[in-house]
Amino acid sequence: MRVTFLGTSGAVPTTQRAPSAVLVNREGERFLFDCGEGTQRQMMRFGTGFDVSHIFVTHLHGDHILGIPGLIQSLDFNDRADPLAIHVPPGARGEMERLVHAGGHRPGYPVRIHEVAPGSVAYDAASFEVRTVETEHRTRSMGYALVEDDRPGRFDRERAEELGVPVGPKFGRLHEGESVELDDGRVIDPEQVVGPPRPGRRLVYTGDTRPVEAVVETAANADLLVHDATFAADEAERARRTGHSTAREAAEVAARAGAKRLALTHVSSRYAGTWERLERDATAAFDGECFVASDGQTVDVPYPE
């Protein structure tokens, strides 16, 4: 799983940061989380590819959605045929439809808009889900969590051979949870040669939000938490008033959740040359790996051991 930060600015673009957008490439399938102005150019610039199957929108403020019409039209220009799914908060379908058809454009491929309630599943795939999580902003909003299923435990080849299992297809069947019968009539069960299930990966993206309990719960043991960190600690009152978080508040959420890594994003333009103070605020409250994300930065999310 590879995460590319396409836009990390808060509210308005700067010369260094574009508005909000994060691309996740999981085993070759690409997802966009928010799509601010200029996202398609950032995709070209940072070489992420354009074959996006789902766009997950946290809320309908302009800095999170104004890249959608241009991206949709460029995909059409490049003869896209595959459907594109756009997931939005409850009640936002009509506004998103108007955005998709901006300028009277009618896409030549299916664009399917799904309203999804916080606390449910936006996308249910074979080995993972993209779940929605309740957030608190100045409008209808929600975050997302990409949560993989548990993986099979480690296969103990040495033990299997001791039990007389021949090298070959039976190894794979046992690892997949199927019992096998040997030539002498004995049945070997997976529990005899396969360890306990191993967790999959968990990525949480909040979008704009105040610190909320739902994110703490959803981000429990997350491999990467991408959290709103619009302001430094001395602007805590402004963060509260505008429905955002400070870097320290984001770090406190990560610490309570037991997240492994914290990416701070949606950085206010006031910190254009002083973003290090956000990192200092956060590291005072979170012992894990913590960084202020920058445009074009790529982070690999490995499987937990």
Side-chain angles (χ1 to χ4, degrees):
M1 190 189 301
R2 174 164 290 182
V3 178
T4 303
F5 294 93
L6 298 174
T8 58
S9 184
V12 296
T14 70
T15 56
Q16 295 175 312
R17 299 179 184 273
S20 295
V22 174
L23 187 139
V24 176
N25 184 330
R26 183 197 175 274
E27 311 294 345
E29 188 172 10
R30 296 174 177 86
F31 310 115
L32 262 180
F33 292 87
D34 285 330
C35 185
E37 175 188 349
T39 293
Q40 64 171 322
R41 185 175 182 277
Q42 297 289 81
M43 295 166 76
M44 298 176 199
R45 182 182 177 195
F46 301 124
T48 62
F50 271 71
D51 190 18
V52 173
S53 56
H54 294 257
I55 301 176
F56 298 96
V57 175
T58 60
H59 64 292
L60 265 60
H61 283 166
D63 59 319
H64 293 255
I65 60 171
L66 289 180
I68 291 176
L71 177 60
I72 283 177
Q73 293 184 31
S74 291
L75 293 174
D76 211 358
F77 182 79
N78 287 296
D79 299 321
R80 181 185 178 107
D82 293 335
L84 174 67
I86 304 177
H87 307 269
V88 298
R93 183 195 304 272
E95 295 169 72
M96 183 54 65
E97 286 176 346
R98 288 189 288 274
L99 193 65
V100 166
H101 300 302
H105 182 72
R106 293 292 179 268
Y109 56 92
V111 177
R112 297 165 182 160
I113 301 170
H114 306 280
E115 291 187 1
V116 192
S120 59
V121 175
Y123 178 41
D124 187 2
S127 58
F128 68 96
E129 294 178 337
V130 178
R131 304 172 186 171
T132 56
V133 55
E134 183 178 357
T135 56
E136 181 185 330
H137 194 41
R138 292 171 293 164
T139 185
R140 296 164 297 188
S141 67
M142 60 189 183
Y144 294 92
L146 194 161
V147 182
E148 293 181 331
D149 297 345
D150 284 346
R151 298 172 291 148
R154 295 190 184 279
F155 182 75
D156 189 340
R157 178 183 177 130
E158 183 177 347
R159 178 58 179 156
E161 291 179 349
E162 288 176 355
L163 291 169
V165 181
V167 176
K170 286 185 170 63
F171 276 19
R173 289 164 57 190
L174 282 163
H175 200 200
E176 291 170 3
E178 181 182 346
S179 298
V180 299
E181 184 175 354
L182 304 185
D183 291 342
D184 61 8
R186 288 182 298 128
V187 174
I188 306 300
D189 296 318
E191 294 78 13
Q192 296 175 260
V193 294
V194 179
R198 295 172 292 169
R201 295 166 290 191
R202 180 178 292 246
L203 164 69
V204 179
Y205 173 74
T206 67
D208 296 3
T209 187
R210 293 290 297 141
V212 293
E213 195 64 30
V215 171
V216 174
E217 295 171 0
T218 302
N221 301 311
D223 298 281
L224 178 63
L225 169 60
V226 183
H227 200 290
D228 176 350
T230 306
F231 297 108
D234 60 354
E235 292 283 0
E237 175 56 29
R238 184 178 181 87
R240 185 196 62 77
R241 191 170 65 251
T242 58
H244 289 289
S245 299
T246 67
R248 184 180 181 91
E249 287 172 330
E252 289 169 348
V253 168
R256 292 181 57 206
K260 298 179 180 68
R261 283 193 287 179
L262 170 64
L264 305 170
T265 191
H266 202 266
V267 177
S268 170
S269 58
R270 70 188 62 207
Y271 307 113
T274 60
W275 54 263
E276 293 90 349
R277 63 186 298 194
L278 301 178
E279 200 167 278
R280 288 195 299 269
D281 285 351
T283 54
F286 178 59
D287 292 334
E289 181 184 342
C290 174
F291 59 94
V292 176
S294 57
D295 287 18
Q297 183 173 1
T298 296
V299 176
D300 288 325
V301 182
Y303 284 107
E305 289 299 326

